[in-house]
């Protein structure tokens, strides 16, 4: 199984500042034939279902604010929130869908400092 | 707009069975792979199973987490826009909110682009 490890487990950032969450996979999720990284990011606000933010490692889902961006390739990935807003308080998960099981990271809890 | 409405959760004894249902609307159901993902109380997300867009009855491919393989079965009825999760031999560690999830593709190797509100399954005596 591909193990997904996020860092840090929790993060406190001031409003308007940058937040960075890392995700590392135990093996590459890059498909050599189509050059796509099979990596998604989700946001789960308290009491809500998860919501897709980023797929193929860097493609922003329709309607997601452009302060959210994804980067990385192979085994190392990053979710960046360029200017933290109050509504961004949530737990963020990465997930690989390169192979089954489609494993999730343990989650990163983002709070306001 | 896409809507996924789960039902069938509840309290069940260890060793018991339960069938979860998910009513889908707002998209061409048969075109997309569908999944179940669960979240134990206060814990993270755990992928449970995925069924490809062609449907298991017509050779659609399925994938399961090792923790549920042989006990859970994912199925769909494209004529009713419905997804199911048949759960047998339930254990305390199966206690979780179960989310119905729509994938962004027909194949099973895809991201989830829509989540239901979830239904709580509690396994306890």
């Amino acid at each position: 199984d591909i193990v997904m490890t996020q860092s840090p487990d929790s993060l406190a950032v001031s409003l308007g500042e940058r937040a960075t969450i890392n995700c590392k996979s135990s093996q590459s999720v890059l498909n050599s034939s189509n050059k796509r990284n099979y990596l998604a990011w989700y946001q789960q606000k308290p009491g809500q279902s998860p919501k897709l933010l980023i797929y193929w490692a860097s493609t922003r889902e329709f309607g997601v604010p452009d302060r959210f961006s994804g980067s990385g390739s192979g085994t190392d990935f990053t979710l960046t929130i360029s200017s933290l807003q109050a509504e961004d308080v949530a737990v963020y998960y990465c997930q690989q869908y390169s192979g089954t099981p489609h494993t999730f990271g343990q989650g990163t809890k983002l709070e306001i400092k | 707009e896409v809507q996924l409405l789960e039902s069938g959760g509840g309290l069940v004894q260890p060793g018991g069975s339960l069938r979860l249902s998910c009513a889908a609307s707002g998209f061409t159901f048969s075109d997309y792979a569908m999944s179940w993902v669960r979240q134990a109380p206060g814990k993270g997300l755990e992928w449970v199973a995925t069924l490809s867009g062609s449907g298991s009855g017509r050779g659609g491919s399925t994938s399961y987490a090792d923790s549920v393989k042989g006990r859970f079965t994912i199925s769909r009825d494209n004529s009713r826009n419905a997804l199911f999760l048949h759960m047998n031999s339930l254990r305390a560690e199966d206690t979780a909110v179960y989310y119905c999830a729509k994938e962004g593709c027909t194949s099973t190797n895809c991201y989830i682009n829509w989540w239901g509100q979830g239904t709580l399954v509690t396994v306890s005596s």
Side-chain angles (χ1 to χ4, degrees), chain A residues 11 23 25 53 97 111:
Chain A
L11 180 63
C23 176
S25 58
L53 296 176
Y97 47 95
E111 299 173 314

Side-chain angles (χ1 to χ4, degrees), chain A residues 20-88:
Chain A
T20 302
I21 299 171
N22 300 301
C23 176
K24 188 175 184 67
S25 58
S26 61
Q27 54 188 275
S28 176
V29 299
L30 173 63
N31 185 304
S32 56
S33 59
N34 62 19
K35 307 299 186 208
R36 284 179 162 177
N37 286 283
Y38 284 54
L39 190 284
W41 289 96
Y42 303 92
Q43 175 193 62
Q44 187 176 31
K45 295 182 178 181
Q48 296 186 15
S49 305
K51 171 189 171 185
L52 175 66
L53 296 176
I54 303 285
Y55 56 98
W56 303 129
S58 60
T59 301
R60 195 180 305 113
E61 170 70 334
F62 179 78
V64 173
D66 61 6
R67 64 179 180 274
F68 291 91
S69 63
S71 62
S73 184
T75 62
D76 292 278
F77 301 90
T78 301
L79 174 70
T80 301
I81 308 172
S82 61
S83 177
L84 188 71
Q85 305 299 303
E87 61 264 32
D88 300 334

Side-chain angles (χ1 to χ4, degrees), chain A residues 1 38 40 42 44 48-52 55-56 61 93 95 97-106, chain B residues 37 39 43-47 50 63-66 99 103 105 108-113 115-118:
Chain A
D1 296 0
Y38 284 54
Y42 303 92
Q44 187 176 31
Q48 296 186 15
S49 305
K51 171 189 171 185
L52 175 66
Y55 56 98
W56 303 129
E61 170 70 334
Y93 296 92
Q95 182 204 26
Y97 47 95
S98 173
T100 54
H102 293 176
T103 40
F104 290 89
Q106 79 276 19
Chain B
V37 177
Q39 187 169 35
K43 302 297 184 182
L45 301 171
E46 180 187 15
W47 172 81
T50 297
S63 301
Y64 295 93
D66 286 346
Y99 293 104
E103 305 265 326
C105 321
T108 56
N109 278 11
C110 195
Y111 52 89
I112 293 170
N113 66 354
W115 301 67
Q117 287 304 300

Side-chain angles (χ1 to χ4, degrees), chain B residues 40-115:
Chain B
K43 302 297 184 182
L45 301 171
E46 180 187 15
W47 172 81
V48 172
T50 297
L51 174 56
S52 68
S54 55
S56 63
R58 286 178 281 164
S61 65
T62 58
S63 301
Y64 295 93
D66 286 346
S67 58
V68 307
K69 200 172 293 183
R71 300 187 299 123
F72 290 12
T73 301
I74 186 172
S75 64
R76 67 194 296 163
D77 184 339
N78 289 335
S79 67
R80 294 164 51 194
N81 289 353
L83 180 73
F84 305 100
L85 185 66
H86 304 257
M87 304 185 294
N88 296 321
S89 303
L90 282 162
R91 307 165 180 166
E93 54 264 36
D94 295 318
T95 294
V97 172
Y98 285 73
Y99 293 104
C100 170
K102 171 188 172 294
E103 305 265 326
C105 321
T106 297
S107 67
T108 56
N109 278 11
C110 195
Y111 52 89
I112 293 170
N113 66 354
W114 203 270
W115 301 67

